[in-house]
Each structure stands twice: as C-alpha cells, then as structure tokens.
Amino acid sequence: MGMPGGFEWLFMMVIVLGSIGLFIYILVDILKSEFTNSINKVIWLILVLFTGPLGIVLYLLIGKKQRIKK
C-alpha cells in the first residue's frame, strides 16, 4: 500500500475534479433557479452544502422537479 501509481492517481483526480465540478454546477443551478416555494431554494442550498454527495443526489432526483420552468 504505497503511493498510488500513474493510473490510480489519474483515476482519483478525475473522480475528485468531477465531484467538485458537479458540486459547483448544482450550487449555481440552485442559485439561478426559481422554485415553487421561496424557502425551497434555501433548504436545497443548506442540504447540498451540509450533506455533500447525498444532497447532490437528492437535488438531482427531487429538487429539479420543484423548479419553475421558464
């Protein structure tokens, strides 16, 4: 169990950068969207910020349906 080699390091970096990118995308999506209930935006922001991956998955499955379509 030493330091990760080339492929393992690359794989970990892709996962980490992809996760950070998805996190930023979700935060921007929440901030730019209007929701059916005004408090929903605050709830989704808190949920995503404090629960991390679980909040992101829940937002993708449930939260996107609560937005007002323009």
Side-chain angles (χ1 to χ4, degrees):
M1 289 302 259
M3 298 263 309
F7 179 73
E8 293 88 4
W9 185 83
L10 179 63
F11 183 72
M12 286 191 309
M13 289 306 294
V14 167
I15 297 294
V16 168
L17 293 176
S19 298
I20 292 170
L22 181 62
F23 182 74
I24 292 171
Y25 167 77
I26 294 295
L27 288 178
V28 169
D29 189 55
I30 292 171
L31 291 171
K32 290 177 110 180
S33 299
E34 292 184 31
F35 289 85
T36 53
N37 187 349
S38 60
I39 195 72
N40 283 359
K41 182 182 282 196
V42 175
I43 291 171
W44 281 115
L45 281 172
I46 291 170
L47 188 71
V48 169
L49 287 172
F50 289 112
T51 62
L54 177 63
I56 290 172
V57 170
L58 289 173
Y59 178 74
L60 289 172
L61 294 175
I62 301 168
K64 283 197 164 254
K65 296 175 188 170
Q66 296 178 351
R67 297 183 309 167
I68 297 174
K69 307 250 191 290
K70 291 183 181 181

